[in-house]
Amino acid sequence: MSDKLSVFLLGGTGYLGGSILAELAKRHPEARFVTLVRNPADNAAFQPLGVEVINGDHSDLALIERLASEHDVVVNAADAETLALSKAILAGMEKRTRDRPEAQRKPILIHTSGTGILAKDLDGVFHSDKIYDDSIVEDIKSIPENAFHRDVDLEILSAGKTGLIDAYMVAPCTIYGKSRGPLPRLSIQINGMIKVALRRKELLQVGPSTNVWNSLHIDDLCNFYALLFDYALSGKDKSTDPFERFYWASGAEYVWGDVAKELAKLLYAAGAIESPTPKAATVEEEPGLLVAASNSRSVSNRGAKAFGWKIQGPSLWETLPKEVEWTIAEFKAKA
């Protein structure tokens, strides 16, 4: 049996997953990386990274379980919401441990959650004085069980108690910046607001848009995953509580109304919308605004303390003009 480190990553065709995969493959050329790709037409894009491709779908749970059982590390950057998928991943990883009692290292799972778990009201109003700190275990434990995809998070955290796997969880905030993955992709939240504006010829915001989120450049997120990946493999982590392996990946806070005003100016200057002033709407009136409707406030202290992570990338405000440019280009290409 080869002792070469093997990594199975879900989400390699996406914005986050593709960027993370490219970063990990660059930093670990000695490792074997495998990813799942639905469309065989995309296979060739992964060749320059030296990544092996398995054609299949996340709905094929038997395949997911088998692949999870065959690798030392599993990174799920594809789906934070589907409990059946996470259960299949965990079942495969736990089987690997049982089948290899002589192994010196337990399988490692790095699961991607999201700070959307803190989102509640969808009215565009500032509601939250509470800032959740990942270095305070009680903050993470206090998140309600009915929070967005909390059932998946708790399933993975519970699996960390079995002693069969080492489970880590990363919850990114609003991510911006150019994708570093093998396939061109845009992020969801900022670009979602821009896409609504392009479709409707007006920049919409939710209510007064005083709600607050955190933001982080994709390069900083990729560095976070790479540092956590190395830390998990190093054996230096002596944590005993699974909740001590929960990490926010969060940067500076922003107010959605400030983003809306800046995007309206940029889109109007580009001739893409009819007014430089945002217009208030509700999520019911425009479901595409769901991505910009809530509050989510978090601070990333655990990563800095555990493995020296630092924020170094460009700010959201520096990047907004490019986000507008990239989204307009994609919109025109699909028209």
Side-chain angles (χ1 to χ4, degrees), residues 14-277:
Y15 172 74
L16 292 185
S19 299
I20 294 163
L21 177 59
E23 184 68 16
L24 293 177
K26 181 181 75 174
R27 295 198 192 193
H28 289 276
E30 79 288 352
R32 174 186 175 225
F33 286 88
V34 177
T35 196
L36 196 66
V37 175
R38 181 184 295 108
N39 187 351
D42 292 331
N43 290 3
F46 293 86
Q47 291 179 357
L49 297 178
V51 172
E52 298 177 33
V53 169
I54 303 292
N55 288 124
D57 191 277
H58 296 154
S59 63
D60 188 343
L61 299 181
L63 174 63
I64 296 295
E65 183 174 340
R66 177 176 67 79
L67 290 171
S69 74
E70 295 174 351
H71 297 276
D72 302 305
V73 182
V74 176
V75 180
N76 182 6
D79 188 331
E81 302 171 32
T82 305
L83 184 59
L85 174 64
S86 289
K87 285 185 173 182
I89 292 170
L90 292 170
M93 297 181 73
E94 290 171 353
K95 180 179 184 299
R96 181 175 180 82
T97 298
R98 294 189 180 100
D99 290 349
R100 302 166 71 247
E102 78 290 347
Q104 296 181 354
R105 180 171 56 216
K106 289 183 287 186
I108 294 168
L109 171 62
I110 300 177
H111 174 80
T112 304
S113 178
T115 65
I117 197 171
L118 302 176
K120 290 186 292 184
D121 302 290
L122 303 177
D123 55 7
V125 176
F126 177 77
H127 289 291
S128 180
D129 288 323
K130 171 67 176 174
I131 299 176
Y132 288 79
D133 185 335
D134 58 2
S135 68
I136 301 175
V137 168
E138 290 309 313
D139 271 12
I140 308 307
K141 289 183 176 181
S142 71
I143 298 170
E145 290 189 8
N146 64 351
F148 187 51
H149 59 69
R150 184 62 163 170
D151 57 340
V152 175
D153 289 4
L154 291 175
E155 183 77 18
I156 292 165
L157 290 166
S158 178
K161 298 178 182 179
T162 66
L164 296 175
I165 68 169
D166 286 333
Y168 293 84
M169 191 171 301
V170 181
C173 58
T174 297
I175 305 300
Y176 59 91
K178 192 173 184 63
S179 171
R180 300 172 60 183
L183 299 172
R185 296 286 189 263
L186 296 175
S187 191
I188 295 173
Q189 287 179 278
I190 300 296
N191 307 88
M193 178 177 266
I194 298 171
K195 288 176 183 178
V196 169
L198 294 174
R199 173 166 50 82
R200 297 183 58 132
K201 303 294 185 184
E202 59 182 353
L203 195 290
L204 298 183
Q205 65 181 38
V206 181
S209 205
T210 53
N211 50 318
V212 174
W213 268 68
N214 298 84
S215 61
L216 189 69
H217 194 275
I218 186 66
D219 290 355
D220 287 316
L221 182 69
C222 290
N223 187 43
F224 191 105
Y225 273 81
L227 291 172
L228 174 58
F229 183 90
D230 291 346
Y231 179 66
L233 288 169
S234 72
K236 295 178 181 178
D237 184 6
K238 304 303 180 185
S239 58
T240 56
D241 188 332
F243 284 86
E244 293 177 336
R245 293 179 172 179
F246 183 104
Y247 295 82
W248 301 123
S250 296
E253 287 192 334
Y254 68 93
V255 178
W256 269 105
D258 294 339
V259 169
K261 290 174 185 175
E262 186 64 21
L263 289 179
K265 293 176 185 177
L266 291 166
L267 286 162
Y268 182 74
I273 60 175
E274 296 171 355
S275 170
T277 304

